Amino acid sequence: MEEKSYSPGLEGVIAAETRISFLDVEREEIVIRGYNLLELIRRRSYVDVVGLLVEEQLPTEARRAELEGQLVGAAVPPAVYEILAKLPASMHSMDRLRTAVSALAGFDPEADTADPQRERAKAPRLIGQIAQIVANLPRIARGGKAIPFHGGRSFAENFLRTIVEREVSPTEVRAFDQILMAYSEHELPNSTFAARVVASTLSDVYGALCAAIASLKGPLHGGANEAVMYMLQEAKTPEGLERLIREKLARKERIMGFGHRVYMHRMDPRAQLLKEVARELVSAKGKGADLLAMCERGEEVMRAEKGLYPNLDYYAAPLYALLDIPIELYTPIFFAARSVGLIAHVIEQHRENRLYRPRVRYLGPRGLTL
Ligand code: ACO
């Protein structure tokens, strides 16, 4: 039999054709349905990105308002919160979220579909439900009652206010909206691949999203943002972080928030942008300069020692801290923001499906006798 080529971790392998997004590393551009993601982040809002990804074009003013209403008004079945309330408080927030998304399927009469049109129609509701569940995770874990989105002027404002339980300034809302856009879609990372693999069996969007949540939880992927914050908390000062990073590197440990399969030796463009957003937030709030200085020292040390640059999760961590978002929500927010990209990929997979079923290079024994 002809020997097929093998690339560990599928590095460099083209595993899908897509019209959704592309990382053009040479031009330092993240293309989202033809637009530059950084331009979208600078000039548009998360609701526009939802329209672009799911409905394949930027929404008109009228459609935008309608979409915002659908996202904010999506009702979460009370039973989903009741299920969450029964889980041990010690359970990881991503595991709680996976359980909630799985339970949501039970309340969707059309859960069991792989029809792209129907999936597209329910996408705004599902994205809105996921955001509300994420915002309420800590409250329910503490034995409290879920609060539905209400009173805010935008989806981002409702989402942030429900998390932090206080009034939020327009600068804070804008920063949060930009984080959501930065996380919205990014070609074929492990979680999106996992979702597409599940969808390729013609299984439904809920199963695909649960697979993506499991993938995203891992510290080599979405879980890195919370690990970054724990590292910053341990380090306390720029000098402390430099010392900690050097110690970890001497022990051959990985430094969370650095490196990326696609951008390994260059800065993730999203990280650069979030760093700018963090600077703006620090100057608007008049606090957090020390936290940012610590991150910048970490960035310098890693560049000098390993030639590695921050990925998105590195600067997301101080931004979340500046917004008073609890660490347990860092990775769930990643998922809430990414749910739109994942749903777009599930729809595309269902529209142009071919079952994923690769082969292996067998390294085990043969011919053993019983
Ligand atoms: N800290 C220290 N060394 C690193 C790091 C890091 N964060 N990342 C890569 N390296 C080193 C590896 O040790 C390896 O060195 P070696 O050749 O001397 O053994 C070299 O760089 C190549 O690393 P690989 O593991 O082969 O690269 P891979 O493409 O598999 O890794 C990954 C990508 C998993 C993201 C890696 O950079 C990493 O572990 N980063 C930390 C976790 C993290 O921040 N994840 C978030 C990714 S972005 C996202 O999900 C939004």
Side-chain angles (χ1 to χ4, degrees):
M1 198 179 78
E2 186 201 339
E3 173 73 0
K4 303 266 196 260
S5 65
Y6 166 57
S7 173
L10 299 187
E11 183 164 0
V13 171
I14 306 291
E17 285 186 330
T18 184
R19 290 175 184 79
I20 300 171
S21 67
F22 173 60
L23 311 188
D24 189 336
V25 179
E26 293 312 314
R27 291 195 199 164
E28 299 192 359
E29 187 183 349
I30 301 167
V31 183
I32 306 283
R33 293 214 191 272
Y35 295 94
N36 184 332
L37 177 66
L38 265 54
E39 281 293 296
L40 290 167
I41 297 173
R42 288 198 174 100
R43 300 177 47 188
R44 295 293 190 134
S45 77
Y46 182 71
V47 179
D48 289 318
V49 174
V50 169
L52 179 62
L53 283 166
V54 176
E55 297 171 359
E56 302 181 31
Q57 57 186 11
L58 281 170
T60 59
E61 273 302 306
R63 178 63 191 135
R64 194 185 175 289
E66 211 174 71
L67 256 180
E68 190 125 43
Q70 286 177 295
L71 290 170
V72 174
V76 177
V80 172
Y81 288 132
E82 284 159 24
I83 291 167
L84 280 178
K86 291 201 167 83
L87 300 173
S90 59
M91 193 174 178
H92 193 283
S93 52
M94 286 297 274
D95 295 333
R96 305 167 72 77
L97 180 56
R98 199 188 58 235
T99 308
V101 171
S102 190
L104 272 180
F107 301 90
D108 176 356
E110 291 202 328
D112 200 10
T113 183
D115 176 62
Q117 284 303 102
R118 284 146 85 185
E119 289 171 327
R120 192 171 131 159
K122 68 178 158 187
R125 183 189 71 216
L126 190 47
I127 297 162
Q129 287 174 323
I130 289 169
Q132 282 199 37
I133 290 169
V134 166
N136 279 294
L137 283 174
R139 194 169 293 115
I140 293 172
R142 290 194 309 263
K145 281 223 166 316
I147 303 174
F149 285 174
H150 69 283
R153 274 153 297 192
S154 65
F155 173 69
E157 183 172 345
N158 276 295
F159 196 173
L160 183 58
R161 268 171 33 138
T162 310
I163 294 171
V164 297
E165 295 185 63
R166 62 168 171 79
E167 287 304 316
V168 288
S169 72
T171 320
E172 288 179 312
V173 173
R174 182 66 190 142
F176 189 63
D177 205 17
Q178 291 183 303
I179 297 173
L180 296 180
M181 283 187 272
Y183 274 118
S184 63
E185 165 58 17
H186 201 232
E187 204 204 66
L188 201 59
N190 190 290
S191 48
T192 306
F193 186 50
R196 288 193 77 127
V197 169
V198 171
S200 82
T201 67
L202 298 186
S203 187
D204 58 72
V205 69
Y206 294 94
L209 290 177
C210 286
I213 296 173
S215 158
L216 215 47
K217 181 188 173 192
L220 295 188
H221 193 4
N225 53 20
E226 61 175 61
V228 169
M229 199 61 223
Y230 289 125
M231 179 174 75
L232 296 175
Q233 284 182 339
E234 185 184 344
K236 294 189 179 69
T237 61
E239 298 69 39
L241 185 59
E242 177 161 355
R243 201 165 42 243
L244 189 61
I245 288 178
R246 289 187 192 286
E247 285 166 8
K248 282 178 181 284
L249 290 179
R251 292 196 297 269
K252 304 244 172 290
E253 283 176 32
R254 272 163 198 254
I255 312 301
M256 293 296 130
F258 288 91
H260 190 283
R261 175 63 65 79
V262 181
Y263 311 116
M264 190 51 92
H265 293 292
R266 40 181 107 202
M267 184 110 161
D268 178 338
R270 301 167 301 169
Q272 186 64 51
L273 194 128
L274 287 195
K275 185 174 167 181
E276 287 168 24
V277 175
R279 279 198 183 127
E280 285 160 19
L281 198 57
V282 164
S283 75
K285 293 185 81 136
K287 66 169 198 178
D290 44 350
L291 188 60
L292 208 52
M294 183 166 28
C295 294
E296 284 170 343
R297 176 75 73 93
E299 185 184 332
E300 284 160 25
V301 176
M302 283 300 281
R303 190 164 48 228
E305 290 297 315
K306 297 287 291 184
L308 288 175
Y309 290 79
N311 56 50
L312 171 67
D313 283 333
Y314 189 66
Y315 280 104
L319 260 172
Y320 287 142
L322 282 165
L323 293 170
D324 303 324
I325 292 173
I327 299 178
E328 67 190 292
L329 284 190
Y330 287 15
T331 317
I333 290 171
F334 183 162
F335 175 74
R338 181 60 57 83
S339 61
V340 62
L342 290 162
I343 292 170
H345 278 274
V346 169
I347 292 172
E348 188 178 69
Q349 186 66 41
H350 284 160
R351 195 183 287 149
E352 298 162 28
N353 192 52
R354 182 152 170 85
L355 176 75
Y356 277 104
R357 203 313 180 185
R359 296 298 310 279
V360 298
R361 179 179 285 167
Y362 179 64
L363 302 175
R366 296 179 69 153
L368 299 180
T369 49
L370 289 167

